[in-house]
Amino acid sequence: MLSFKLGKTHVPHRKNTAGMQAVRMSAPNSVLIPMSQHIGAPAVVTVKPGDKVYVGTLIGEAQGYVSSPVHSSVSGVVKKIERFLQSSGRKCDAVLIESDGEMTIDPAIAPPKVTNFDEFSAAVRASGLVGLGGAGFPTAVKLDAEKKGVVRKIIINGAECEPYITSDTRTMLDDTDYIVKGIALLENYLSAEEIVFGIEKNKKECIEKLREVFSTDSKVRVDVMPDTYPQGAEKILIYNTTGLVVPEGALPADVGCVVMNVTSLAFLAKYMETGVPLVEKCLTVDGSAIKNPMNVIAPIGTSVEEIISFTGGYSEEAGKVLYGGPMMGVSMYSTSDPIFKNTNAIVAMNKRDAAPKMQRACIHCGRCVSACPMGLNPTLFAKSMKVEDSAERLDRLTEAKINLCIECGCCSFVCPSSRPLVETNRLAKADVRNLSAKK
Amino acid sequence: MNKLIVSSSPHIKSKDSTSRIMLDVLIALLPITVAGAIIFGLEALLVVGICVVSSVLSEFVFNIIVKKEQTVGDFSAAVTGLILALNLPARADAWWQCIIGSVFAIIVVKCLFGGLGCNFANPAATARVFLLISFTGALGGGNAPLYSSSPELVSGATPLEVLTSGGEMPSITDMLLGLRGGAIGETCIVAILIGFIYLVVRRVIHFETPLVFIATVFVLSLIVDNSFYIATYQILSGGLIFAAVFMVTDYVSTPITRSGKMIFAVGCGLITFLIRYYGNYPEGVSFSILLMNILSPYIEKLTSKRPLGGKKA
Ligand code: SF4
Ligand code: SF4
C-alpha cells in the first residue's frame, strides 16, 4: 500500500448521523421524476397522464448508449408530464405521479436471469443504476469496460469524504450482506484481479466490519484512506489505492480501473435478488438549519421539502439548501424540487452559514496551490480569465490544465481572501469549450 | 417560501482570513516592537507610530482619491508600515524620512501596481533601499542601544560595520538580546524568534523559508572565512534574521510554490552574501530581496508542480 497520499485538505467532518440507522419514509403524496438524472441523454417518457403505475414500473426509456432508464418510485396514477428546470440550467421532461399511498410493487417485476457478462450488463442497464456517489454516470456503461478486457482492478468507493454525509457509512454497516453479494457478482462476471475498498480512516467500524467479512477472500482488500478531503474523488481514490494515475483526457478504464460507489454495489446485489429497479435512495438530512439530523430512505422524486418535514423540519430559517454535501453539493432554487437517483444528502444551512463571505484581493499566499489535490495552480486560471484576447486566453487556460480541475472545492475552501476560485474554474472550462468549438 | 441563496460550491470555508493572517503578523511583530522600545528608548515607538500611521493613511487616502473600495481593513498597510519602521533606526529627528519611506512603500510600490497582491516588489524592503540610497547619512546606519557592554557601540556603529573594520564584537548574549547598534527591530534575536515560532504555529509561514535563507548566508560565509565565529556573527548581525522571518516570507512578492520559496530564499542568501562581502554596502538583505522579487515569476514558473495526469504541454 502506498504511503504517500493525495488530498490533504482538512475540512470538518460533522458526521452527526453516522450512528443513526436510516428510517424509511412513508409514501409521499406525489413524486416528480425527471428524465435526466444521469450523465448522458435524458430518458424518453413512456407513460401518459392517467396511466396506472406501480413501484418499479418503467416510465422513461434510456435513449442511446450513455443513458439510463427511469422508473416510478410509488404506486399511483400519472398526473402530468411537465418540463423541469435542472440546476445545470437545462430543461428536461419530468413525470408527476400521484401516489395511492400503497407503495405496491409492480407485479411484473421478477429477478433478472443472469448467467454471463452480457446478461449481467443488460440487467445493470435495466436496473436504472447510475453512479450514486455523485456524478450519476450510468453504471452499465462503466462496467462495459469488461468487454474490452481491460478491467484489472475494481475500486469500491467508501471514502465518503464530504462533511455531514453518512449514507454510505450506513450502507457499509447495515447492508454488509449485500456488499458481500455484490462483490461475488463482480468476481463472477468481471475479470478483475483485485478489488480494493477505499474507506476514510474516520469510519473505523466500517473498515473493521468489511475486513472481517472479506478476511477469507484474497482478491479483496480494504485500504484505509486519510480522513482528509477529497479522498472520494475518483482520480484521487485511484491514486491513493493503486498508485495509478489517470492521464489527462482518459478514463479510469484506460488504466485498468473501474470505480464503483459502495451504495451502488449494494443496490446491484439487491436488484439481482429482487428485480426492483433504483426507485429509492438513502440520504443524509443535516446542516445547521435542520432540527433532527437523520438518515432517511425516500422514494426518488419526493420533494426536498417533504423529506425535511419528515425529519422534523427546520430548527431555524434556511438560507441555502444543498443537494449533496457542502464541498461539491449544488444549491437548489426551491425545496419543492425533487430528489434524484444520485442525491446522497440534503444539507440545509442557516442564514448565518449561508451568508456570502467577504472577498478580498488574492494575497498570493499559495494555500490554494498546496491544497489542490490535482497539483494545479488555481491562481493561474483566475489570472488567465482576465486576458482579453481570446486566443491567448485559450492558450493560457489550456497550458494551466483547466480541464484537469475536478471542482473538488479545496482551493476555494482554503483561500483566506474567499476568492471564488471554483466558480472561476467552471466559467473557464465553459470558456475553453466554447473557444475550442469555434476554432 | 423564503428566498434561498443559490451559489457555486463549495459552500463552506476554512477559518483562515486575510485580515487574520495580517493580524497574526502584527502580533508576531509585537514582541520585537516592545524589545526595540526597551533597547532604544521611546524614540523607537515614535518611529513605529509615524510609519504605521502614515502607511495606513496613505492607503486610505489613495483609495478615496481613485475611488477604490477601502482596503485598510485588511491590515496589510499596517504590516508594511510596521515592518518598515522596524527596519529603521530609532531616530525620531528623521521623522520626515519615515513619512517619505512609508508613502513610497504604500503608494509607489503597492497602490500604483494595483494594491494588495499586485505589487511585484516587497514594499518595506523597497522603501528601505530607497531611503538608504536617498539619505545615506541619516537612516543608513544604526542607533546605539541604551544599555550595552561593548564600548564600541556607544558610537552607534552596527556590529556589521565593526565586523568589517575588524573591531571588537559584542558578546553572543548581547547579540541575542539585541544590545547592539542597529535598526529598531533587527537587533533582538530572541524577540524575532518568538515571532517566528508564533507564525509557524499559526501556519502563516513555512518554517523552512527563513532557515534556508539564514543557512545559505552561514554556509557561504563559513566557506569563505573558514570561521564559525565570523559566520555566526554574519547571520546574527544586520537585519538578516528579521528579514528572514518577516520579509523573505512575504506572500505577494515571492513565488507561490513551496519549493519556489526555497529557491527564492537561497537566492536572497547568495545575493546578501555577495553584497556584504564584495559590495559597497555593509548590509545587503533589502537589496537581495528586491533583486529576487524580480526573479520571482520565473522561479514560480520553473517550480510549478506537474498536475496529476497532466501531459507535458
Ligand atoms: S483547482 Fe480544481 S481540482 Fe484544484 S483544488 Fe480547485 S477545484 Fe479542486
Ligand atoms: S488561496 Fe486565495 S489568496 Fe491564497 S494564493 Fe490562492 S487565491 Fe490567492
Side-chain angles (χ1 to χ4, degrees), chain A residues 340-383:
Chain A
F340 310 102
K341 288 179 180 178
N342 62 346
T343 305
N344 47 13
I346 293 170
V347 172
M349 305 164 76
N350 64 23
K351 293 244 147 157
R352 203 185 56 243
D353 291 352
K357 303 278 177 297
M358 165 140 182
Q359 286 183 19
R360 293 190 191 273
C362 166
I363 53 168
H364 209 247
C365 69
R367 282 171 173 73
C368 55
V369 178
S370 313
C372 179
M374 296 299 291
L376 304 170
N377 179 345
T379 62
L380 287 183
F381 304 133
K383 270 189 214 143

Side-chain angles (χ1 to χ4, degrees), chain A residues 248-324:
Chain A
E248 201 175 339
L251 291 171
D254 296 323
V255 292
C257 293
V258 164
V259 182
M260 211 174 159
N261 164 276
V262 266
T263 302
S264 299
L265 179 72
F267 166 78
L268 207 59
K270 265 187 217 170
Y271 176 73
M272 296 300 166
E273 231 173 69
T274 62
V276 178
L278 184 59
V279 292
E280 62 178 20
K281 212 32 225 304
C282 169
L283 43 94
T284 303
V285 182
D286 203 342
S288 51
I290 293 292
K291 196 192 269 167
N292 308 314
M294 63 197 273
N295 286 312
V296 179
I297 299 172
I300 288 160
T302 310
S303 82
V304 169
E305 195 56 42
E306 219 170 323
I307 295 173
I308 293 178
S309 310
F310 172 75
T311 64
Y314 302 95
S315 56
E316 57 187 295
E317 200 179 349
K320 205 194 253 187
V321 185
L322 312 172
Y323 288 114

Side-chain angles (χ1 to χ4, degrees), chain A residues 230 368 371-378 381 404-412 421-422 425:
Chain A
C368 55
C372 179
M374 296 299 291
L376 304 170
N377 179 345
F381 304 133
L404 282 177
C405 170
I406 55 174
E407 296 175 26
C408 65
C410 291
C411 50
S412 294
L421 298 167
V422 180
N425 292 359

